[in-house]
Amino acid sequence: MAAGLGFPVYFGGLDPAYDPMRDFISEMGAAGAPNAPMVNWVAFLPTGLIQIAFALCAWIALPRSGAMTLGIIGWLLFSVGYVAAAVFPCDTGCMGDPGSFSQQMHFALGVPGYLLAPASALLLALAARQWPGGQWISIVSLLGAVGGAASLSALAGDFDGNMVGLWQRLLEASV
């Protein structure tokens, strides 16, 4: 999540052409971007690996249920997207069709996590209602699910517009 919220401000400030409100986060790590190696290996990769480790620890520690397991799987897919962004950067502009092999892998491994993020948060909200002391987690997860669904809807509706970066940041904040 830090990569989705803080790194665009920091690394975006190093690249005057990058606008975190207008541009996808992946554009900072795209092939040929001025700070791509730093973004990919200092921001995306560690963020993805930490989130994967946290999701696996949560799966081990939390009371088991189908909703919890499916929610954690969705969270893992979202987290794998950060690792994929580091290993398979998109092409310049991140929108070529079909693009290089790296861009195709970037989308194939990244998009499912974004699409499943709101549903994953909802599943975790439902599961958390059954956990001892999990009511507040349930409420926060439910708010994340609603915010994520609204952001995903706005992102889909403005995909070629000037606010995709904002919608993506809000979707990541919901996670």
Side-chain angles (χ1 to χ4, degrees), residues 76-143:
L76 284 169
L77 288 172
F78 183 84
S79 304
V80 164
Y82 278 108
V83 175
V87 177
F88 300 107
C90 63
D91 298 339
T92 302
C94 295
M95 294 304 283
D97 188 26
S100 68
F101 173 77
S102 183
Q103 178 160 300
Q104 291 174 36
M105 293 301 296
H106 181 92
F107 282 111
L109 296 171
V111 170
Y114 275 98
L115 295 176
L116 293 173
S120 300
L122 179 60
L123 289 166
L124 290 170
L126 294 172
R129 293 181 351 177
Q130 307 304 316
W131 303 338
Q135 294 304 316
W136 69 272
I137 295 173
S138 181
I139 292 168
V140 170
S141 294
L142 182 59
L143 292 173

Side-chain angles (χ1 to χ4, degrees), residues 23-82:
D23 299 326
F24 289 109
I25 191 172
S26 295
E27 293 181 57
M28 291 187 303
N35 300 299
M38 277 196 319
V39 170
N40 291 331
W41 304 113
V42 175
F44 293 159
L45 184 64
T47 298
L49 293 175
I50 289 167
Q51 287 186 155
I52 289 168
F54 185 83
L56 292 174
C57 288
W59 185 77
I60 291 167
L62 293 172
R64 296 286 164 78
S65 71
M68 185 278 293
T69 299
L70 290 173
I72 294 292
I73 289 170
W75 191 351
L76 284 169
L77 288 172
F78 183 84
S79 304
V80 164
Y82 278 108

